[in-house]
Structure formats: structure tokens, C-alpha cells
Amino acid sequence: MTANAPLDVARDGAITRLTLNRPDMRNAFDEALIAALTSAVRQAEQDPNVRVLLLTGAGKAFCAGGDLNWMRKMATHTDADNRADATRLADMLHAIWACSKPVVACVNGDTYAGGMGLLSACDIGIAADSAHFCLSETRLGLLPATISPYVIRAMGERAANRYFLTAERFDAATALRLGLLHDVVPADRLGEAVDALCRTLCANGPDAVKASKRLVRDFAGAPIDAALIADTVERIAACRSTEEAREGVAAFLEKREPSWRRGS
């Protein structure tokens, strides 16, 4: 890991590991980390050899949100500067959420404020049982505006009503119950659990994974009407004729590994 880089990017086969690398600041983000993470996600998106993105933090915290020194500096800037800065943060979150490839959050420690946005923008979240969570903005006279679309989708409107307003700290078991996380494991088993999940994702057809992620993005909350049903018919019909689908079905019937699994 590069000591002075705000983000460490490493390849592990088909997995790109993105490690927030400001442990002394509890991985709080500033303009440099925001730029680095946005760029790394977009590069991984374009790399055909990358199948999964894994996001985690160095040290004891996953992400403590925005660096308060950076935020204090921005408070002295112009309204235009603050809008531009907020736009860069919003673009980072959207790059993660909109990435066509699965993004897994390995939540190694405490996750506060903007860190909750990072977690919520990911597709899957697995946390150490020692991690704690907090939407702490109102304690500082701020509001979780930029992260709110992702957090509300992840934990639901009712829970967001409570935790946006109270800024209460809660544990990993509560985060799991709210749907913010998919699994909670002992801290000493977190790496093993996340690696197993990433291997599972890499074992599946890469185009099918992308298309399935798009299904959730397009259909969540949509009315089940004639237009939606017609859309599902078109998507599966188109999928069945793809080379990947033909290879997957043939491999299953022939009791062999599909080509994408042999190559991962």
C-alpha cells in the first residue's frame, strides 16, 4: 500500500480492491480522496478484466465521512465553490451506485455520515460485528443531503426518518436488521467472508450479473403493469440468444465449468 496515496488500488485477479487510505483521519474524505475514488471506479468500470469492485478502509474505521478540516475550509469559500465541491461528492457516490459491475463494501470499522453514503451506494455490504454506524450530520448543524438518495434506498424511509433526525449511533446488528447490511461476521472472519462473496460473484456470467443489477435499478418500485411485463419479456428473450447464455447452459448440461469461470 502506498503510504501517501489517499486511495490504494490493487488488482486480485478479476477483483479490484479499493482501500480508503487515510487511517489517521479514520478514512474521512477530502477533495483528493473523492477525486481518486471517482477515477478508480470509472477506470474499473471500463476494464473488461475487472468483474468485482471491493471497497474497504485502512486501519480501524471504514469511513468517518467528510474531513472536518476540509469542511471548515469549504465553509469560508463562495457559494459557487461549495456547489462545485458538493457536485464532486455527488458524482463520486453516483459513480459507485451506477457502476455496472458489483461493488462490495467490506465494512471493517465505524461508518459515519458520508461513509454511510459510500456503504449505501454499494450493492452489497458485509461488516465486522464490532462496527458502528451513525448519520451524524445534525449534531454538526448539517444535513445528509448528498448521501440521502442512497441511504434512504438502503435502510428505508422509516428508519431514515429516525436516524437522520436523531444522529444516534447504532451497532452492526441494528444495521443488519434495517437492511443497511447484508451480513455481519466476527471481525477476524471479515476478510474470509468478503473474499468468498467476491469469488461467488466472479463465478457467475459477467454479462448476466450486469443485466441483473440493471433489473434492480430499473424495476425497484415500478408498477407491475403491461409495459414493465413487456420489458421483462424483451430482456429475457434477448438474453437467451447471447453467447454467454448459450455457453452457460451448455456447460451446465455437459457438467463442465463455463468459459468465464475457467478464466477468472
Side-chain angles (χ1 to χ4, degrees):
M1 185 176 292
T2 306
N4 296 324
L7 180 73
D8 183 74
V9 182
R11 279 290 296 276
D12 180 7
I15 302 165
T16 289
R17 297 176 181 268
L18 306 173
T19 304
L20 309 180
N21 189 30
R22 304 185 75 214
D24 293 344
M25 301 299 294
R26 296 175 61 79
N27 299 318
F29 46 73
D30 59 5
E31 57 267 51
L33 179 52
I34 289 170
L37 184 53
T38 305
S39 176
V41 170
R42 289 175 174 165
Q43 288 181 34
E45 168 85 25
Q46 297 302 318
D47 188 337
N49 296 312
V50 174
R51 303 274 296 281
V52 176
L53 285 71
L54 174 60
L55 178 62
T56 192
K60 297 181 179 180
F62 176 68
C63 178
D67 185 323
L68 293 181
N69 290 318
W70 163 62
M71 294 172 67
R72 181 166 58 181
K73 180 183 71 173
M74 291 309 303
T76 66
H77 287 198
T78 66
D79 180 68
D81 289 336
N82 270 289
R83 288 176 183 273
D85 190 72
T87 297
R88 286 189 286 271
L89 173 60
D91 287 345
M92 178 190 73
L93 294 171
H94 190 262
I96 295 169
W97 183 83
C99 181
S100 66
K101 301 171 183 182
V103 186
V104 177
C106 174
V107 184
N108 55 299
D110 288 351
T111 304
Y112 291 173
M116 294 281 281
L118 285 180
L119 167 58
S120 299
C122 294
D123 298 295
I124 302 172
I126 300 181
D129 56 4
S130 55
H132 286 83
F133 303 83
C134 185
L135 289 151
S136 55
E137 284 86 350
T138 55
R139 291 184 188 175
L140 305 176
L142 300 169
L143 74 163
T146 312
I147 67 173
S148 61
Y150 310 99
V151 177
I152 293 169
R153 280 172 170 80
M155 69 191 308
E157 179 182 352
R158 192 68 172 163
N161 265 332
R162 173 174 177 169
Y163 292 105
F164 279 16
L165 305 185
T166 65
E168 294 169 281
R169 186 171 179 258
F170 55 93
D171 60 17
T174 301
L176 179 64
R177 176 175 57 81
L178 295 174
L180 185 65
L181 298 172
H182 294 87
D183 204 0
V184 172
V185 299
D188 61 358
R189 289 187 47 230
L190 179 61
E192 173 189 345
V194 172
D195 285 346
L197 174 65
C198 290
R199 288 195 299 271
T200 296
L201 290 166
C202 288
N204 299 330
D207 291 337
V209 168
K210 290 180 183 179
S212 294
K213 178 171 178 175
R214 177 50 55 192
L215 282 178
V216 178
R217 295 289 186 268
D218 290 348
F219 294 164
I224 304 177
D225 55 16
L228 185 142
I229 292 170
D231 193 351
T232 66
V233 168
E234 290 298 322
R235 294 189 196 212
I236 187 57
C239 177
R240 287 173 179 169
S241 63
T242 64
E243 181 179 344
E244 181 175 288
R246 289 195 296 268
E247 165 65 9
V249 172
F252 180 82
L253 293 174
E254 295 165 12
K255 296 182 172 55
R256 61 173 175 80
E257 293 292 319
S259 58
W260 63 80
R261 198 174 301 167
R262 295 196 301 269
S264 64

